Amino acid sequence: MRLLNYLGQWRSVAKEAKDLTVTVAKFMGLLHVTDAYLCSSTLVYGPSMLPTLNISGDVLLSEHVSHRFGKVGAGDLVLVRSPNDPRKIVTKRILGMEGDQVTFFVDPKHSDRSRTTVVPKGHVWIQGDNIYSSFDSRTYGAVPYGLIQGKVFCRVWPPDGFGSLD
């Protein structure tokens, strides 16, 4: 009789563990879908987006819906998969959409020489706000629209900078 009681308790514990595992798996799936397709946080640091973003780091929220529907445009801050290193995501500002004519300084540290180019179809022109310390479209050219990963809409850290980045 003790053995049957023990087996009954074990079954109860096993069922509870299975139910908890299923709940955790569903939650992890929801987190993945939210992070990959809806909204995610990103730590951004470095000098390329000064003075908009801090050199020591900001935590930004980005949404992953607008760019899928073509709802990003000039002036938007976006997360872009780096054309030079696909493992990296960079944060830059869109300065030109396909068909736009963009004029930029070729090497602002050493000369005032500028160039004008037309952004090809299916591409965007991205640049860091700090043109003296940014690797962007001036270096690697216009970026395919498909490399855009998200549109930044809010800074959440540091607390004194909390708010919209529009």
Side-chain angles (χ1 to χ4, degrees):
M1 197 55 144
R2 271 179 121 176
L3 181 61
L4 289 176
N5 192 18
Y6 178 74
L7 287 175
Q9 287 177 339
W10 186 86
R11 282 189 182 129
S12 173
V13 169
K15 182 182 178 334
E16 193 173 321
K18 181 191 83 134
D19 292 345
L20 183 60
T21 302
V22 167
T23 301
V24 168
K26 286 179 181 178
F27 179 71
M28 296 302 279
L30 178 65
L31 279 180
H32 169 71
V33 168
T34 301
D35 186 60
Y37 301 105
L38 298 177
C39 178
S40 66
S41 62
T42 305
L43 173 63
V44 177
Y45 56 91
S48 74
M49 287 303 295
L50 282 171
T52 306
L53 302 177
N54 296 309
I55 194 168
S56 58
D58 289 315
V59 177
L60 307 175
L61 291 180
S62 62
E63 52 91 4
H64 305 288
V65 178
S66 293
H67 72 281
R68 297 177 199 277
F69 294 104
K71 300 292 184 189
V72 294
D76 287 340
L77 217 56
V78 290
L79 301 177
V80 178
R81 187 160 305 280
S82 171
N84 289 345
D85 184 357
R87 294 174 298 182
K88 289 185 180 177
I89 302 291
V90 297
T91 305
K92 303 291 179 194
R93 188 174 306 281
I94 295 178
L95 290 188
M97 301 297 289
E98 67 179 57
D100 289 351
Q101 196 172 38
V102 179
T103 302
F104 61 96
F105 290 112
V106 177
D107 186 7
K109 286 183 184 175
H110 301 104
S111 76
D112 290 338
R113 199 175 107 230
S114 64
R115 227 174 108 202
T116 300
T117 187
V118 175
V119 180
K121 183 174 179 152
H123 290 69
V124 294
W125 188 270
I126 58 171
Q127 278 186 213
D129 289 351
N130 180 3
I131 63 170
Y132 301 102
S133 185
S134 179
F135 292 104
D136 46 37
S137 287
R138 294 170 302 138
T139 307
Y140 40 72
V143 175
Y145 193 88
L147 293 182
I148 296 175
Q149 302 295 301
K151 179 179 170 183
V152 175
F153 67 91
C154 183
R155 178 186 359 230
V156 295
W157 191 265
D160 63 333
F162 182 87
S164 174
L165 287 172
D166 289 338

